Amino acid sequence: MLENAMQKMFKTTSRRIAVPALLTIALYVIAMFIIFLPHIEKSFVSRKKEMIRELAETVWSLVDNYHERELSGELPRSDAQNRALLRIGTLRYGPEKKDYFWVSDMTPRMIMHPYRSNIVNKDIKEIQDSSLKRLYLRWNEVVAKKGAGYVGYQWQWKDDPNKMSDKLSYIKSFQPWGWIVGTGMYLDDIYAEIGAIRNKFVAISTVILCIVLILSLYSIRQTMKADNELMLSLIERNELNESLKESKERFRSLLENTSDWIWESDKKGRYTYSSPRVEELLGFSSKETMHKTIMDFVPSNLKSLYQETFKNLLGAKKSFKGFETTCQKKNGQHVVIENNAVPVFSENGSLLGYRGVTRDITDRKMAMEALKKSRDVLHANLEETVKSLASAEEKRDPYTAGHQTRVDRLACAIARELGLSDQQTEGLHFAALLHDIGKIALPSEFLSKPTSLSHQEHEIIKCHAQVGYDILKNIHFPWPVAEIVYQHHEYLDGSGYPRNLTDKEILLEAKILTVADVVEAISSHRPYRPSLGMDSALEEIQNGRGIRYHAPCVDACLKLIKDEKIDFS
């Protein structure tokens, strides 16, 4: 009867646990593989299409820039077109830097293709490939109807003329010159990336499902085991009593042979019990330590360092951990030990004494000192490396030499004024030194242009925040340096760039850096204008206080300048 009752109980328990677990697994599979995964794949393809559209628009803007130079009389049309084609022909992107741009006209005729020189400048009548002719006509149809759009077709795989692959391109017409500018993505690449995402997703999901299943089985097994132990507890009680006696003996043996010194003391810290380990630790026998305190083993010239702390620890009548002392062994050698203890109270709540553990931490202290020294060296190397990177950018832009250093000085002063931690301030320091590192990839003629930048040139200059982030994101700083650099031109009202972030999305360090950057830029000389002066700089941040610029940062900066606590000279 008892066995049948137990089996019935086990089945009921298993069912109560297994059914919810299986339902959870089923819902997870449905949600992940039917809803979320297809959505993720669709979103991925959409982002890729948007990427090639933005790339094509960027090249279109480049062509428009040369057209403006033609209209202004700076360049004749032939020179403007040749320069545009040369620039476009060298542009590459993608993981292998083999994805490219091409240009055709309305003839239709290919006028620039980096990998298919055999079809460049050939009229459609001279081309024998019928599929290529149809493709030219499709391009013309798309731009004639919409001016821009996506076109799918088969094309040579990157720079491999022997391999054909499905491709989706975005094309856009440039009417003033009768050009069509385009770039595209190979669908094999897209499917490969989607496949990798799907495989990773499946692997993770499989692991999660396995864990859920294992936990369910474990819960069932543990429940059954607990019930079984409950039913057999009366039978095992005598055996447990015997085991308890054996355990006490093992505990006593462990206590006397453990690597730590275990002790008991009265409320004044005098030892009433001392394990044999003390002889190995200090050279004194257990008997020799009786009725002494830890202060009796501290060298006389060091007692003043620990006496007051020891007295306060005993007086607090609380547990204490990590009380470190330097003791003198019986042979005269010094050893660093760590003392941990808990108070022992009587039934009426009065303090009886302490039970504690003491261990030798001499090697650990030495290792920590070595680690600290190594950390200081690494930090110094990091500082020099960051300054070298900042110096490399300034060599590309000599007109703003010292800009990053001055911004760093002001930003760190604002951070300290706002009460930021040393850790945050140090991260801001490195971000300030590197905030314009992205300019290293920009055309030098833009950086040193003695006149105002055109709209297109300004848009290219604005890319330096993104480029700086791309350079720094894979460097494992202990602070969010890459993200601070990415955000240093973002404003509270969302009017900044490159991501139009708003107040709550911007890091505090980036808000500080923005204020410091604006003040330094306005108050310093630039290639296209002389310094506007510190008064103009302070007026700008006052006018934008709470709108574009973080109000506490503005107030801190104004106070520093007013009190002459910061000097840009």
Side-chain angles (χ1 to χ4, degrees), residues 270-311:
R270 296 175 297 205
Y271 297 118
T272 57
Y273 167 78
S274 185
S275 69
R277 168 63 177 161
V278 67
E279 189 164 1
E280 189 174 343
L281 184 64
L282 296 177
F284 298 95
S285 66
S286 299
K287 187 176 180 180
E288 289 176 304
T289 62
M290 290 298 100
H291 309 297
K292 293 183 179 180
T293 71
I294 192 63
M295 290 296 107
D296 292 316
F297 302 102
V298 174
S300 57
N301 61 325
L302 298 178
K303 284 187 178 181
S304 59
L305 295 176
Y306 309 118
Q307 190 68 53
E308 189 66 25
T309 302
F310 180 63
K311 181 180 178 180

Side-chain angles (χ1 to χ4, degrees), residues 22-33:
L22 292 174
L23 286 175
T24 300
I25 293 172
L27 289 173
Y28 180 86
V29 171
I30 292 172
M32 293 297 104
F33 291 91

Side-chain angles (χ1 to χ4, degrees), residues 26-194:
L27 289 173
Y28 180 86
V29 171
I30 292 172
M32 293 297 104
F33 291 91
I34 298 179
I35 299 174
F36 292 111
L37 187 57
H39 175 73
I40 290 172
E41 294 175 356
K42 183 178 179 181
S43 176
F44 182 82
V45 173
S46 296
R47 288 199 302 272
K48 287 291 185 179
K49 291 177 67 176
E50 182 64 18
M51 180 194 74
I52 63 171
R53 185 189 69 79
E54 291 177 354
L55 288 170
E57 293 281 0
T58 300
V59 172
W60 188 96
S61 298
L62 187 149
V63 174
D64 186 51
N65 179 46
Y66 279 100
H67 176 58
E68 288 182 2
R69 295 173 69 178
E70 174 202 346
L71 295 179
S72 67
E74 179 184 349
L75 295 171
R77 171 168 289 195
S78 59
D79 283 353
Q81 290 179 337
N82 288 335
R83 291 191 184 189
L85 292 174
L86 285 174
R87 287 286 299 278
I88 297 169
T90 60
L91 297 178
R92 299 289 186 277
Y93 64 95
E96 300 175 342
K97 299 300 180 185
K98 290 185 178 180
D99 293 308
Y100 56 89
F101 302 85
W102 46 262
V103 180
S104 70
D105 61 18
M106 306 294 185
T107 304
R109 177 182 57 180
M110 183 69 69
I111 59 176
M112 194 287 295
H113 193 289
Y115 296 139
R116 295 288 300 273
S117 59
N118 60 314
I119 63 173
V120 173
N121 292 325
K122 283 190 176 182
D123 190 80
I124 191 170
K125 296 177 181 179
E126 301 175 60
I127 296 175
Q128 302 300 319
D129 188 343
S130 58
S131 61
L132 183 58
K133 291 182 177 181
R134 288 194 298 273
L135 178 58
Y136 280 5
L137 294 175
R138 283 179 62 194
W139 287 347
N140 282 15
E141 289 176 4
V142 170
V143 298
K145 291 180 180 179
K146 303 178 181 179
Y150 294 96
V151 180
Y153 53 95
Q154 275 211 330
W155 194 258
Q156 169 185 310
W157 175 261
K158 298 180 180 177
D159 59 347
D160 185 356
N162 299 318
K163 180 180 177 182
M164 301 296 289
S165 180
D166 290 332
K167 188 173 185 179
L168 179 66
S169 288
Y170 182 86
I171 60 175
K172 183 173 182 178
S173 67
F174 187 75
Q175 291 296 337
W177 289 352
W179 283 8
I180 300 174
V181 177
T183 189
M185 58 183 177
Y186 291 93
L187 298 185
D188 286 349
D189 282 345
I190 302 302
Y191 297 148
E193 292 187 52
I194 290 175

